[in-house]
Amino acid sequence: MGDLLEVILGLILGAIIMYWFFSLFRRKRNKDLTKQQSTVLLDKIRSVCKLVSVEGDFAEIYNYENTKEGFFSLLSSKKKALIIVKAKAHIGYDLSKLDLKADDAKKTIILNNFPRPEVLSIEPELQFYDIKNGLFNSFTPNDLTNLNQEAKDHIKQKIPESGLMDTARTEALQAVLLVEKIVETIGWKLDYSALEISNRDKQFLEQ
């Protein structure tokens, strides 16, 4: 009878130890899986990278003149052209700059800061009119490269007064909602309570 009791107690003790090891392994596995989920999720959000929220078209007339001196500055030669610059500017957000943190216990991604809108790209198209070459100062292929860059810089200076940046700021909520949708794909939540959101946008969220 005593031997049987020892066997039963041994089996019970063995079962308890096995259950303890199994529970410990399961908790560790779930914790590792949650951490892996948060890492993959943060990488997935940042991989979206640049998000275009506003697009603007520009048309500008640009007078180009260049004077070149030669023969010990005794002679000068001028080349000039009338250039119509048509450009498409994209304003949006670089999502790689998002300030994101993961709360593994609550399965929540915390958005502490959202980047400012910026110029993501400018695509200029140049049309040349009234081209006049100088005697020893004519247009070269390199001039086209330089003029493309000058056109981009010229359009970039026009963007602040165009209102595109203000429009992009009002579209920021759409970008936040996009991040929220990405987070929800694996059953997590997005906490963006740290962000300043207007009353109008709060009403939009509650709909």
Side-chain angles (χ1 to χ4, degrees):
M1 185 68 179
D3 292 340
L4 180 61
L5 183 61
E6 288 180 1
V7 171
I8 293 173
L9 289 174
L11 290 173
I12 293 174
L13 182 60
I16 293 173
I17 293 173
M18 287 296 295
Y19 177 77
W20 181 78
F21 272 112
F22 177 74
S23 298
L24 183 65
F25 173 75
R26 187 172 59 182
R27 283 198 301 269
K28 186 177 184 304
R29 183 183 177 188
N30 289 339
K31 187 176 181 181
D32 291 342
L33 181 60
T34 301
K35 284 186 176 180
Q36 185 180 9
Q37 276 187 327
S38 64
T39 301
V40 171
L41 186 57
L42 291 176
D43 289 341
K44 184 177 180 180
I45 292 171
R46 290 192 174 97
S47 69
V48 176
C49 203
K50 295 182 178 180
L51 174 69
V52 176
S53 62
V54 180
E55 183 179 277
D57 293 313
F58 292 83
E60 296 284 332
I61 297 176
Y62 187 55
N63 283 301
Y64 174 81
E65 287 189 3
N66 176 268
T67 302
K68 183 177 180 180
E69 295 183 346
F71 299 103
F72 304 100
S73 300
L74 296 176
L75 294 177
S76 63
S77 181
K78 180 187 293 185
K79 61 183 175 186
K80 61 181 182 178
L82 181 65
I83 306 170
I84 295 180
V85 180
K86 294 182 179 179
K88 193 176 294 292
H90 297 114
I91 315 297
Y93 300 89
D94 186 349
L95 298 187
S96 65
K97 297 179 181 179
L98 286 173
D99 184 3
L100 294 170
K101 292 181 181 177
D103 186 336
D104 297 331
K106 296 181 179 179
K107 285 196 171 184
T108 301
I109 298 297
I110 303 168
L111 179 56
N112 291 315
N113 186 45
F114 201 79
R116 294 177 178 273
E118 59 186 85
V119 179
L120 298 179
S121 68
I122 298 176
E123 302 170 2
E125 179 184 336
L126 276 59
Q127 297 177 348
F128 290 80
Y129 296 91
D130 195 22
I131 300 174
K132 293 181 180 179
N133 291 308
L135 182 62
F136 54 87
N137 185 18
S138 57
F139 282 93
T140 66
N142 190 50
D143 288 329
L144 181 60
T145 302
N146 294 334
L147 284 170
N148 264 285
Q149 185 58 50
E150 287 185 25
K152 284 184 178 181
D153 294 339
H154 181 69
I155 296 299
K156 197 170 185 177
Q157 293 173 5
K158 296 287 183 180
I159 288 175
E161 62 191 53
S162 68
L164 287 177
M165 287 297 187
D166 293 332
T167 303
R169 289 187 186 95
T170 63
E171 296 291 331
L173 180 62
Q174 298 298 327
V176 174
L177 294 179
L178 172 63
V179 175
E180 185 176 40
K181 292 298 182 184
I182 296 174
V183 170
E184 290 175 350
T185 57
I186 63 167
W188 283 52
K189 296 187 300 180
L190 178 68
D191 179 359
Y192 47 88
S193 58
L195 301 183
E196 292 184 6
I197 300 177
S198 67
N199 291 330
R200 181 182 64 85
D201 290 337
K202 286 179 180 177
Q203 292 174 0
F204 178 80
L205 284 170
E206 292 169 357
Q207 290 178 359

